[in-house]
Amino acid sequence: MIKSITGTKDILPAEIPYWQRLESIVEKIFSSFNYKEIRTPVFEETNLFVRSIGEETDIVGKEMYTFNDKSNASITLKPEMTASVARAFIEHSFGKLQPLNKFYYISPMFRQERPQAGRQRQFHQFGGEALGSASPLLDAEIIIIAFRILASLNLKDLTVKINSLGVPSSRENYKNILRNHLDGKKNQLSEDSRKRFDKNILRIFDSKVESDQEIIKDAPVLIDFIDEESKKDFELVKTLLKQSKVPFEVDTKLVRGLDYYTKTTFEIVSGKVGSQNALCGGGRYDLLIEQLGGAPTPGVGFAAGMERILLACQNEKSLNLPGEKIDLYITRVDEDLTQKVFELAVYFRQESLIVEFDYLGRSVKAQMREANKLNARFVLFVGGEEFKSKKLILKIMATGEQKEYPLEELNEIKSFIYDEVYKSYPNY
RNA sequence: GUGAGCGUAGCUCAGUUGGUUAGAGUAUCAGGUUGUGGCCCUGAGGGUCAUGGGUUCAAUCCCCAUCGCUCACCCCA
């Protein structure tokens, strides 16, 4: 049997309502902040990701789906979206059309890692990017949007963590201070952390090894060494978040793994999804656009993992979706009326009702069982006796009551169903 | 890439201290009198017990390998 590729999953009809609910909330909330949707290709020139995410990162170093196409160009399936949005922003000269551009997206992403709870090789993210302003108003806005989407899904077990990485010069300065501080204890660190010491010393703070945590407990923290402007901006972000009633905590150890971040970074974690607990993460990247060859353009954004969010919703039972219903099931009493049933179904479907009937030539009882299973609100009987006298019977499934209609008056049946459906679902 | 656990019907799982026709619940299909659902009852179909090899008179059960799944590490959404 051919199965889906490791780390990929089919999203089956039964789960689709949850995805659609999530997507519609994403669209609604981004739209209210006037972000515009953007869709980019699933693959890009490999170099785009190498240059934006950073050669030393794990994503670029070992997780990308990279291959050569027939003209021998190196192609990569997108592992994240910010690089692609930045590329499109530069390519289509958005910066020249207007000073500030706000985008959102919903898209599959690809990373070749070992799958586990909340992690797949093809997964889906939504996210937003605001390009063209260094104002902390946008840092706060981005965090508020992310939080509001999760809150709209009724998720409770959430922690918003924020931090500031400052500008590169102050960060480099701090790295030296940290390096000096840890130098004497380097060989007490875990093997992984010793590697981090040389490659990306900030990441030692992420270590889950207890002895590492012990060693860095009293190390100087980045936030105390960042430049004045970054400090001021960070204060404003915190004030704005408080104003908007977004609960957050400052996590001075929050260091994100992508090279392009500057100043504000944030993450929202859930206590309900296993060890891969980050539902979304993001921050400011004021140098990225320039680095990719565009005019200097500050930016801030975030990405959120949809599988993880839906996993949290499932584990918190936070989404209470109504059961699926169909409006009308048409039951054929005599076999030779199949064509008439088909004709009626096509007619009512044109009136935008959800209509089903039996294609398999089954008994009336089986058809009724099917109608019940599909949660049909109404059943229309097309049957010998009445049909000869040009009548149809409509059964209201909730009450069992039956009404008779002349075959000529399909309109009346339609209006009756409309009224009943509208009564129970005013927003139908 | 590393480590641990698991792989029996569509799904959730029993089971055999190795012995002839492998079970349950659920789902599916049919029926419970001639043309009507939900509950209930009856019956049916459905498994090369992941794959390949080994040990044995005999393997779904023991051993090895392969593949797959799951969780964790790394890292990230």
Side-chain angles (χ1 to χ4, degrees):
Chain A
M1 180 173 48
I2 296 177
K3 300 207 274 190
S4 72
I5 302 283
T6 297
T8 68
K9 275 192 174 140
D10 298 313
I11 300 171
L12 302 175
E15 326 160 48
I16 289 292
Y18 294 91
W19 283 84
Q20 289 178 338
R21 165 64 65 87
L22 173 55
E23 286 159 11
S24 81
I25 286 174
V26 167
E27 281 157 17
K28 203 181 82 204
I29 291 178
F30 271 115
S31 297
S32 72
F33 285 83
N34 198 31
Y35 283 63
K36 303 296 183 188
E37 186 178 357
I38 185 167
R39 304 185 190 191
T40 68
V42 283
F43 49 39
E44 298 270 0
E45 195 179 302
T46 300
N47 210 17
L48 170 65
F49 301 116
V50 176
R51 279 172 60 186
S52 55
I53 300 169
E55 206 137 8
E56 290 299 305
T57 61
D58 277 35
I59 291 181
V60 171
K62 54 184 199 191
E63 295 170 4
M64 295 204 301
Y65 273 101
T66 298
F67 54 91
N68 289 340
D69 70 7
K70 285 181 180 166
S71 63
N72 229 20
S74 182
I75 300 295
T76 295
L77 302 182
K78 59 186 172 191
E80 60 111 41
M81 191 72 174
T82 303
S84 295
V85 172
R87 194 223 80 231
F89 174 87
I90 297 166
E91 184 171 337
H92 302 287
S93 306
F94 276 99
K96 289 170 188 157
L97 295 173
Q98 50 188 343
L100 178 63
N101 287 277
K102 304 197 285 188
F103 304 101
Y104 79 93
Y105 59 84
I106 298 175
S107 171
M109 303 292 164
F110 306 83
R111 294 200 245 221
Q112 191 158 176
E113 303 176 84
R114 196 73 157 255
Q116 73 184 75
R119 188 163 70 193
Q120 294 169 210
R121 291 183 172 183
Q122 178 177 173
F123 59 103
H124 298 79
Q125 291 185 331
F126 65 80
E129 315 284 353
L131 295 163
S133 166
S135 166
L137 293 171
L138 286 159
D139 303 41
E141 177 169 297
I142 280 287
I143 296 170
I144 290 165
I145 291 171
F147 183 74
R148 196 167 274 185
I149 289 170
L150 298 179
S152 296
L153 293 162
N154 218 3
L155 291 173
K156 301 278 189 269
D157 193 352
L158 297 176
T159 308
V160 180
K161 299 178 179 178
I162 64 170
N163 191 23
S164 177
L165 302 179
V167 297
S169 59
S170 65
R171 191 159 61 201
E172 285 311 314
N173 185 34
Y174 165 74
K175 280 187 192 170
N176 285 331
I177 293 167
L178 184 61
R179 209 168 278 128
N180 288 336
H181 177 84
L182 291 176
D183 210 16
K185 302 167 188 158
K186 188 179 172 186
N187 46 18
Q188 295 166 40
L189 290 166
S190 67
E191 195 189 325
D192 280 334
S193 285
R194 264 175 293 166
K195 274 187 210 148
R196 294 187 184 109
F197 187 95
D198 299 319
K199 256 174 68 180
N200 189 349
I201 192 162
L202 294 180
R203 300 213 62 89
I204 293 178
F205 285 111
D206 278 349
S207 176
K208 289 177 187 170
V209 181
E210 237 172 82
S211 57
D212 286 352
Q213 286 298 333
E214 197 56 35
I215 292 167
I216 55 172
K217 204 175 58 186
D218 50 352
V221 289
L222 173 57
I223 196 101
D224 295 332
F225 293 86
I226 63 175
D227 54 289
E228 283 309 311
E229 190 190 59
S230 295
K231 267 184 197 164
K232 210 178 96 226
D233 287 354
F234 192 53
E235 287 309 311
L236 181 52
V237 171
K238 288 193 281 189
T239 306
L240 294 169
L241 290 179
K242 277 179 203 150
Q243 265 177 22
S244 302
K245 309 256 188 317
V246 174
F248 66 88
E249 53 190 56
V250 174
D251 181 350
T252 56
K253 291 186 282 188
L254 178 66
V255 189
R256 314 222 69 251
L258 282 61
D259 281 0
Y260 54 60
Y261 285 118
T262 54
K263 293 188 174 175
T264 308
T265 59
F266 82 102
E267 213 171 83
I268 303 180
V269 302
S270 164
K272 290 288 194 294
V273 294
S275 84
Q276 303 302 320
N277 62 0
L279 298 188
C280 68
R284 183 161 275 289
Y285 46 88
D286 286 346
L287 304 169
L288 176 62
I289 300 291
E290 192 176 354
Q291 197 181 308
L292 289 175
T297 308
V300 58
F302 79 96
M306 298 173 78
E307 281 83 359
R308 285 184 192 177
I309 289 171
L310 290 174
L311 189 61
C313 290
Q314 196 185 328
N315 292 343
E316 289 201 33
K317 295 188 179 27
S318 75
L319 288 183
N320 215 340
L321 302 185
E324 305 243 298
K325 281 188 189 302
I326 69 166
D327 299 320
L328 181 64
Y329 190 92
I330 306 179
T331 298
R332 160 201 43 74
V333 175
D334 298 309
E335 187 100 30
D336 58 349
L337 291 171
T338 301
Q339 282 187 29
K340 187 65 194 172
V341 168
F342 186 85
E343 183 193 331
L344 288 167
V346 169
Y347 168 81
F348 285 112
R349 284 163 172 169
Q350 197 170 27
E351 306 297 333
S352 67
L353 293 173
I354 304 171
V355 181
E356 191 54 287
F357 66 93
D358 172 60
Y359 299 81
L360 307 174
R362 292 191 286 192
S363 68
V364 173
K365 187 193 204 96
Q367 290 179 71
M368 287 306 289
R369 282 181 171 159
E370 182 75 4
N372 190 61
K373 203 173 68 189
L374 294 172
N375 277 318
R377 299 172 208 273
F378 301 95
V379 169
L380 190 65
F381 289 97
V382 184
E385 295 297 299
E386 312 83 39
F387 193 72
K388 273 180 207 137
S389 50
K390 302 211 183 300
K391 294 251 174 18
L392 294 171
I393 292 171
L394 185 71
K395 177 165 185 166
I396 304 162
M397 291 296 271
T399 61
E401 180 194 348
Q402 302 196 159
K403 300 161 78 88
E404 224 177 55
Y405 286 90
L407 186 52
E408 316 305 323
E409 303 291 348
L410 296 182
N411 247 319
E412 275 186 33
I413 299 177
K414 190 192 77 188
S415 316
F416 180 75
I417 294 177
Y418 271 165
D419 289 351
E420 292 297 310
V421 169
Y422 186 77
K423 249 189 266 173
S424 49
Y425 287 87
N427 300 319
Y428 191 67

